[in-house]
Amino acid sequence: MNTDDRYGSDVLADFSRRPAKIDLPVVEAVTDLVLEDVASDFCGSVVRIEGRMVELEDWKGRRRMFPLGPGFLLEGTPVAVRAPRTKQTGLGRTASGSIAGPQERARVARASRIFVEGRHDAELVEKVWGSDLRAEGVVVEYLEGVDHLEEVLAEFRPGPGRRVGVLVDHLVPNSKESRIAEKVARGPHGANVIVVGHPYVDVWQSVKPARLGLTEWPVIPRSIEWKHGICEAFGWPHAEQADIARAWQRILSRVSTYTDLEPELLGRVEQLIDFVTAE
């Protein structure tokens, strides 16, 4: 009889040597929080809580229910998810992260203005900084393109107490936008006008890709109009302008606070607000 015991004398001898239990960070499943279910790789933003389940919606509009608890990733970190607690009292914050003041009527509009390139830029600034801008009496207008900025400034006539801050897309070295900004800075209104911008082709890209269930925004060839290319990459309709408008509203719906936006945009908008509100 072979007495060799290839398994050792006790197959359960090391049974107690299990990995130590790891306490996961616990996060509240607030609306629009982007989570990834580890088991299925489904990634989406929180839509609602129903009982002990959380419903997620991905960037294609697909929805799935998952049990609350462990088994999720938040920006790549394992977490456990629970239902939100009752809203706590205390100092609230605006969508931009500023401490919210007492509810009061908006301040009378200043003479100074912030100009942005288009409607989408204006809607995004309003959604995140709207409360702050109303409190400061700052009006945001859109240019429908930056090409005729000099004509707009000539008509507006900036001066002391009548400053202008301009936010442009794709403000990178040697771009058309950078040349316009440099020309304005050297021009007659340079002391009372500031032109700043973000590096993205379009303000859509300033929304963090994770908010859409992506790791990064798709790269669109220069031969394709960028917004159309993005919609095509997402599988969204893009034949008509109304399709583009609906696509933007879908993206904008994923933005609730400044934490949903890239720092390259946040800093520039704050810079503009500081400039036009300086006494």
Side-chain angles (χ1 to χ4, degrees):
M1 178 177 179
N2 186 358
T3 58
D4 292 338
D5 187 352
R6 60 189 291 192
Y7 299 106
S9 59
D10 185 357
V11 295
L12 299 180
D14 292 333
F15 185 72
S16 63
R17 298 180 184 176
R18 295 178 177 176
K21 182 179 179 181
I22 299 175
D23 292 328
L24 294 175
V26 179
V27 298
E28 295 187 353
V30 296
T31 302
D32 291 333
L33 181 71
V34 176
L35 299 168
E36 180 179 351
D37 176 63
V38 175
S40 64
D41 293 330
F42 186 89
C43 185
S45 58
V46 173
V47 177
R48 65 189 175 100
I49 301 292
E50 183 174 318
R52 297 178 180 274
M53 304 290 286
V54 57
E55 185 174 28
L56 304 181
E57 181 182 25
D58 72 3
W59 64 278
K60 290 185 177 180
R62 298 174 299 192
R63 296 190 177 192
R64 290 182 60 179
M65 300 288 289
F66 300 94
L68 292 167
F72 294 94
L73 296 178
L74 175 62
E75 295 185 351
T77 301
V79 296
V81 179
R82 71 179 177 205
R85 294 175 176 175
T86 303
K87 186 176 181 180
Q88 298 178 347
T89 59
L91 291 175
R93 290 187 177 271
T94 67
S96 70
S98 302
I99 295 176
Q103 293 294 322
E104 57 185 22
R105 296 179 63 182
R107 178 174 172 170
V108 175
R110 295 173 182 264
S112 299
R113 292 286 187 274
I114 289 178
F115 288 109
V116 297
E117 281 207 56
R119 182 183 297 274
H120 296 175
D121 308 71
E123 290 175 343
L124 183 60
V125 169
E126 162 61 27
K127 187 163 189 179
V128 176
W129 288 274
S131 296
D132 303 43
L133 293 168
R134 283 186 288 276
E136 294 288 350
V138 177
V139 174
V140 176
E141 301 181 15
Y142 62 91
L143 299 166
E144 296 184 347
V146 74
D147 292 334
H148 58 288
L149 176 58
E150 287 186 279
E151 291 86 345
V152 171
L153 293 176
E155 181 178 352
F156 185 81
R157 291 180 297 174
R162 191 176 172 81
R163 290 182 155 194
V164 173
V166 185
L167 178 70
V168 300
D169 300 335
H170 200 232
L171 189 61
V172 296
N174 301 317
S175 66
K176 173 190 70 175
E177 291 79 6
S178 68
R179 291 190 290 272
I180 291 174
E182 291 166 2
K183 189 173 182 180
V184 168
R186 295 192 303 266
H189 308 299
N192 297 292
V193 178
I194 184 173
V195 180
V196 302
H198 55 76
Y200 307 114
V201 175
D202 191 275
V203 76
W204 290 18
Q205 276 186 299
S206 68
V207 178
K208 289 181 177 178
R211 300 304 184 262
L212 301 170
L214 304 170
T215 56
E216 61 183 14
W217 281 85
V219 176
I220 307 302
R222 292 188 178 184
S223 59
I224 300 175
E225 200 282 325
W226 192 85
K227 289 187 176 76
H228 287 258
I230 287 294
C231 289
E232 185 174 0
F234 288 171
W236 297 348
H238 55 281
E240 302 177 357
Q241 186 57 38
D243 296 326
I244 303 299
R246 282 189 289 269
W248 166 239
Q249 290 305 315
R250 194 168 185 174
I251 294 169
L252 185 62
S253 70
R254 300 304 177 89
V255 176
S256 298
T257 72
Y258 72 100
T259 60
D260 301 317
L261 302 178
E262 297 287 3
E264 288 82 355
L265 176 69
L266 298 176
R268 301 295 73 74
V269 176
E270 296 290 346
Q271 183 180 0
L272 292 177
I273 295 174
D274 289 345
F275 180 79
V276 300
T277 57
E279 298 296 340

